[in-house]
Amino acid sequence: SIYEAFPPTYTGCFGSITTKNQTMVNIFRRKKSDKNEGDEASAAASSEQVTDKGGSKRNPPKKGSDQTRGNPETITLRVKIPPNVKPGDTFAVYAGSRRVKLKCPPGAKPGQSLAITVPVEKTNEKKLNELNGPNVKAIPNSDPQAYTVTIPPSTRGGTKFAVLINGINMMVTSPPNASPGMNLQIVPPKSDFPKRKRDIGQKFEVRVPEHCKPGDSFALFANGVRVLVQCPENAAGGQMVRFQLPFRTKGLVFKKLEYDCDGWARTLQITQMKFQWARVNRKQANPSNSIAKRMNQNAYVRHISKHGMELIPAQCELVESAVISSKTGEEICSCTDLVEMQQTKPLNEKVAAFHSVCKKLGRGNVKKAKSFLCIKVRRDHLLLDSLQAVIPMSQDDLRKLWRIQFIGEEGIDAGGLKREWFQLVSEEIFDLDSGLWMTCGENQMNLQIHPSSNLLNENHLVYFRFLGRLLGKALYDGELVKGHMVQTFYKHLLGWPVTFSDLEHLDPAYYKSIKALMTMDDVEYACLDFTVGEDIMGSRKTVELIPNGESVDVTNDNIVRYLEAVLDYRLVGRVRNQLREMLLGFTDVIPPSLLTIFDYQELELLLCGLPHIDLEDWMENTLYTGIFRSEKNEVCQWFWETVHEMEEEKKARLLQFVTGTSGVPPSGFATLQGNDGGIRKFTIHVVPLESCLYPRAHTCFNRIDLPVFESKEQLKERVDVAITMVSTGFDLE
């Protein structure tokens, strides 16, 4: 609107006008004798009388009146006439956040000040809540800005929950007496970091799955990105809903979406813009009374708190979707870049992008003269000297370039000494004689944390913190370490879901006994309670899985709770303190959000290196069972031709898929071990195509079930899918 001033009826003042909504807007010019003539804006009007259009006089608002404090109807501002503006010309000014056009009054000159009274701008609630989550509403006209937050479902009093306020993820503690659905009024603290703006991305439209209810979440692909969408409260299955991704993409505004196959996948949660694990189902899952099926479908993620660590449902763990500098608050790697690295780049490109981000994290902001750190160690006290040098380091020092100097030896470290140092130190700390590690079952290839390390090494927690930093620094610098851990620990380092089947890698015999328990009609006949027996240095100790667990019998009603407690104890509980220190040391170097680009198989390859695989030795030490018991069969020949055509990374992944590790025994495939400690040669078990559509692995026996495919192309495609999707936990059958 153009606000026009009328001719003056009083000295130094100009008349008033009426806008379309009949609200009075006054414009007047200050006298030259007034102070602060050049001020562009002020909340106070002149002390002179103002005359309205009808000629009747009224006094302007006094200081402290409702109008000067922010009358709910009008507000007074002061502006300066721009240069080269003549009486009668139109010029624009900003009144609050609005752009207002004024007509220069007669007799006015450039540089003179005018005071204008304009209608108070109505609060745009949609704009106020543009960057807020769905359970957050801004309270208009509050100073400081306050918000109403609705406590989400299943949130108990005293627990924390995440909210998105003005584009920033925050944690809110629910009051002790609060319950889900209640509203809280909060005033968030001011942040010294610059506010992260959401990219103006792309909108999508999707049909809500039939089985979804309001508030339920469902996962899908949106333009190649796997996202988690929450069904709105006013929507139901079969209806179309829209959401927005923070990515700028070319093409149509709305894209056709595809649902993924069954399994656990990392998704981008739209509400809080964080990464979250979700189980993706092709169709509504039928309720199952099978305990084994329910346990295999459930997944859990280790969660680190200030005072401990525990397994929580995978869908409850949230990870930041961008890499932010802890010192400046600057966004170093955006959500768009992380998603692209996760889902589109091969391993070599991931590694290149990873090291580029690492350089920005640490060395990019360090002066050249201080860009490296010299670590002096003695060869005969290598582990102790290294620990004493690394443990006191700050995060900045951990991310600097290290140079290693062996005391008493000449030489300048140009990379070779550091490479040797990583090999020697890791070999010493992974040595079984250190008391920190033990073999997995009787398999000498994989190591797991010794649950009694506190009895064997009184400073064991310091050593595990050092090991975590050593592994993080090796990944950060692209160095290799000696020692293959059991697959579960690589999952813990990355925060990947673990399932009931992970017990098999730690203790095959115990896993077999627990699996048999699931098939019992009445578990009360097993005479179990909520305890487990633990052998500690030759003595037997009973450990309670829950408070007073010795007096709680296992029944059909609480069998699932018992199995979850056993899983938590076996995977985390018995080595809780050691594992927590190792994870904290690992994330001291690398932020968790940057680790989301790798899977646990890739992490093992990056830390331990690609193994040297002798294909001739592999083929010579392979057994053939099933329908065809000879390598001369066409399907087996297609398999080996496909392996010959694979790159080294794919060969290592195939070995991981079948044996559970990328390591090859020093004496070759002839001494390949199973989880029972015995020799288990690589075995190809040929099965009908009807029994399984994809290759299936049995890591305890180093066996791959190979269906009778119709062509080499089909075999190559299915093998590639199997070794790629196994790390995501998808059910290929």
Side-chain angles (χ1 to χ4, degrees):
S1 301
I2 298 179
Y3 294 90
E4 183 178 358
F6 289 89
T9 58
Y10 185 77
T11 304
C13 298
F14 296 93
S16 62
I17 62 159
T18 305
T19 61
K20 291 182 180 179
N21 60 358
Q22 301 301 314
T23 303
M24 300 299 293
V25 180
N26 299 311
I27 302 177
F28 65 94
R29 184 179 65 213
R30 299 182 62 199
K31 292 183 179 180
K32 291 183 179 180
S33 59
D34 290 343
K35 297 180 180 179
N36 302 326
E37 186 175 347
D39 291 350
E40 295 186 7
S42 175
S46 169
S47 60
E48 300 169 319
Q49 290 180 322
V50 179
T51 307
D52 63 18
K53 185 177 179 181
S56 59
K57 295 182 178 180
R58 68 177 181 85
N59 290 325
K62 297 180 180 180
K63 186 176 181 181
S65 66
D66 289 342
Q67 189 170 345
T68 59
R69 288 198 305 263
N71 187 285
E73 295 182 356
T74 61
I75 186 172
T76 302
L77 303 172
R78 186 172 294 126
V79 299
K80 186 168 60 175
I81 300 176
N84 303 324
V85 174
K86 301 177 183 178
D89 291 350
T90 300
F91 62 97
V93 296
Y94 278 94
S97 62
R98 293 168 295 176
R99 191 169 183 269
V100 179
K101 290 184 179 180
L102 303 174
K103 184 173 287 188
C104 183
K109 297 179 181 179
Q112 290 181 336
S113 293
L114 302 176
I116 62 172
T117 303
V118 297
V120 173
E121 183 179 10
K122 293 185 178 180
T123 304
N124 188 337
E125 291 192 14
K126 184 177 180 181
K127 190 173 182 180
L128 264 179
N129 295 292
E130 184 179 15
L131 298 180
N132 295 337
N135 61 331
V136 178
K137 299 294 181 184
I139 301 177
N141 302 323
S142 56
D143 186 19
Q145 182 62 61
Y147 298 85
T148 299
V149 177
T150 303
I151 300 177
S154 70
T155 300
R156 302 184 303 274
T159 59
K160 293 184 178 181
F161 60 94
V163 294
L164 183 68
I165 297 179
N166 205 21
I168 301 175
N169 291 305
M170 301 182 180
M171 297 298 295
V172 176
T173 302
S174 176
N177 58 345
S179 59
M182 290 181 60
N183 290 332
L184 307 176
Q185 288 191 4
I186 65 171
V187 177
K190 293 183 179 180
S191 175
D192 296 329
F193 293 162
K195 185 172 65 176
R196 292 166 53 194
K197 296 182 179 179
R198 279 196 193 177
D199 296 335
I200 301 175
Q202 190 166 11
K203 292 183 179 179
F204 293 84
E205 192 172 62
V206 63
R207 189 180 302 278
V208 179
E210 295 293 339
H211 63 277
C212 273
K213 301 176 183 179
D216 290 349
S217 297
F218 57 96
L220 44 84
F221 269 113
N223 202 24
V225 180
R226 190 181 285 114
V227 298
L228 191 68
V229 180
Q230 188 177 42
C231 180
E233 295 296 331
N234 58 347
Q239 292 184 346
M240 302 297 292
V241 297
R242 293 182 179 183
F243 65 91
Q244 182 167 317
L245 278 183
F247 311 118
R248 294 185 177 91
T249 57
K250 298 180 181 179
L252 300 175
V253 176
F254 297 106
K255 301 283 185 181
K256 183 180 178 181
L257 306 179
E258 295 181 48
Y259 293 96
D260 203 354
C261 56
D262 291 351
W264 286 94
R266 193 189 294 280
T267 61
L268 180 62
Q269 200 228 49
I270 299 297
T271 305
Q272 301 183 46
M273 290 308 302
K274 289 189 176 185
F275 292 129
Q276 179 180 8
W277 291 103
R279 182 165 181 84
V280 184
N281 299 313
R282 287 170 291 187
K283 56 184 179 180
Q284 182 178 5
N286 296 322
S288 174
N289 293 325
S290 170
I291 297 175
K293 188 172 183 179
R294 287 167 58 188
M295 290 302 298
N296 287 329
Q297 288 180 346
N298 295 340
Y300 308 87
V301 174
R302 52 86 181 139
H303 176 73
I304 304 175
S305 62
K306 291 183 178 180
H307 307 291
M309 188 177 65
E310 60 182 342
L311 284 183
I312 63 173
Q315 63 270 22
C316 296
E317 182 75 356
L318 299 176
V319 180
E320 292 292 341
S321 61
V323 180
I324 308 297
S325 171
S326 58
K327 295 182 66 176
T328 64
E330 176 189 1
E331 185 177 82
I332 296 175
C333 186
S334 68
C335 175
T336 310
D337 297 331
L338 289 178
V339 170
E340 183 182 0
M341 285 187 273
Q342 290 171 11
Q343 301 186 8
T344 64
K345 292 185 179 295
L347 181 58
N348 59 334
E349 294 185 18
K350 281 186 184 181
V351 173
F354 171 81
H355 288 304
S356 175
V357 176
C358 288
K359 186 175 181 181
K360 295 178 183 177
L361 268 176
R363 301 166 192 160
N365 298 324
V366 181
K367 295 182 180 179
K368 187 174 182 180
K370 299 180 181 180
S371 60
F372 68 89
L373 195 66
C374 184
I375 299 178
K376 299 180 180 181
V377 293
R378 297 168 293 176
R379 283 191 181 270
D380 52 347
H381 297 84
L382 182 62
L383 183 57
L384 181 61
D385 287 357
S386 300
L387 182 143
Q388 292 176 345
V390 172
I391 285 298
M393 287 185 183
S394 65
Q395 190 175 74
D396 288 341
D397 290 338
L398 289 171
R399 293 174 176 173
K400 287 181 180 179
L401 178 64
W402 290 359
R403 290 183 179 175
I404 305 299
Q405 179 181 347
F406 290 98
I407 298 175
E409 299 181 15
E410 297 182 359
I412 299 176
D413 186 8
L417 293 179
K418 184 175 72 170
R419 190 175 304 114
E420 181 187 7
W421 178 81
F422 271 104
Q423 291 287 301
L424 294 176
V425 171
S426 60
E427 184 177 15
E428 191 168 339
I429 199 171
F430 278 117
D431 193 318
L432 299 182
D433 292 337
S434 68
L436 304 176
W437 297 89
M438 60 185 288
T439 55
C440 189
E442 296 182 10
N443 190 342
Q444 303 297 315
M445 291 292 296
N446 295 332
L447 300 174
Q448 62 175 318
I449 296 175
H450 201 303
S452 301
S453 62
N454 61 320
L455 302 178
L456 301 172
N457 189 326
E458 59 180 358
N459 297 318
H460 68 128
L461 294 183
V462 179
Y463 280 93
F464 279 108
R465 174 64 74 101
F466 168 73
L467 175 60
R469 291 186 169 192
L470 182 74
L471 296 176
K473 184 61 175 174
L475 183 63
Y476 190 91
D477 285 355
E479 300 291 348
L480 300 178
V481 298
K482 282 193 173 182
H484 287 266
M485 297 183 293
V486 68
Q487 195 177 83
T488 308
F489 289 106
Y490 293 108
K491 292 184 177 182
H492 286 327
L493 286 175
L494 297 180
W496 273 66
V498 293
T499 62
F500 185 75
S501 60
D502 283 286
L503 275 178
E504 187 175 15
H505 299 290
L506 294 173
D507 193 334
Y510 186 79
Y511 170 77
K512 188 176 181 180
S513 64
I514 291 295
K515 196 174 181 180
L517 187 67
M518 298 181 185
T519 60
M520 295 182 62
D521 294 331
D522 190 350
V523 297
E524 291 189 43
Y525 288 110
C527 300
L528 296 173
D529 53 31
F530 277 73
T531 62
V532 292
E534 189 75 65
D535 288 323
I536 301 178
M537 305 298 293
S539 62
R540 191 73 174 174
K541 179 183 178 182
T542 299
V543 179
E544 292 187 334
L545 299 176
I546 60 174
N548 200 26
E550 199 167 6
S551 60
V552 180
D553 294 330
V554 178
T555 65
N556 287 350
D557 294 331
N558 60 18
I559 179 64
V560 173
R561 185 186 178 192
Y562 171 76
L563 293 173
E564 289 178 340
V566 167
L567 185 70
D568 179 83
Y569 177 75
R570 284 284 175 171
L571 297 188
V572 171
R574 67 203 299 240
V575 292
R576 190 185 313 276
N577 295 330
Q578 301 96 312
L579 184 58
R580 182 176 183 271
E581 288 299 317
M582 187 170 72
L583 296 180
L584 289 176
F586 193 67
T587 54
D588 282 344
V589 185
I590 305 174
S593 55
L594 185 56
L595 292 171
T596 60
I597 68 175
F598 299 119
D599 62 47
Y600 62 89
Q601 291 179 329
E602 292 171 336
L603 180 62
E604 183 184 8
L605 294 178
L606 292 175
L607 289 176
C608 302
L610 291 173
H612 172 68
I613 298 177
D614 186 343
L615 277 179
E616 297 299 326
D617 178 48
W618 193 353
M619 295 175 65
E620 288 177 5
N621 291 282
T622 297
L623 302 178
Y624 300 88
T625 61
I627 299 176
F628 306 108
R629 299 175 178 269
S630 171
E631 70 276 9
K632 296 180 180 180
N633 173 259
E634 188 178 40
V635 176
C636 296
Q637 290 180 354
W638 288 343
F639 174 80
W640 288 117
E641 289 174 7
T642 300
V643 175
H644 272 282
E645 296 169 2
M646 287 180 176
E647 298 177 352
E648 293 302 314
E649 178 204 338
K650 282 292 179 67
K651 292 176 185 176
R653 278 182 173 270
L654 175 61
L655 195 60
Q656 284 178 318
F657 175 65
V658 181
T659 67
T661 178
S662 63
V664 179
S667 53
F669 283 91
T671 56
L672 194 65
Q673 289 183 325
N675 278 2
D676 59 356
I679 300 298
R680 295 278 186 176
K681 288 189 176 183
F682 187 87
T683 303
I684 297 178
H685 184 72
V686 183
V687 298
L689 185 60
E690 296 78 17
S691 62
C692 59
L693 298 178
Y694 291 85
R696 185 171 48 196
H698 302 273
T699 56
C700 285
F701 313 108
N702 299 328
R703 191 184 87 189
I704 180 173
D705 291 349
L706 191 65
V708 182
F709 294 112
E710 298 175 356
S711 65
K712 178 184 174 182
E713 289 71 23
Q714 186 184 40
L715 181 145
K716 185 176 181 179
E717 176 193 357
R718 299 290 175 88
V719 169
D720 185 69
V721 170
I723 64 178
T724 303
M725 298 293 280
V726 66
S727 64
T728 64
F730 281 93
D731 303 323
L732 295 177
E733 295 182 55

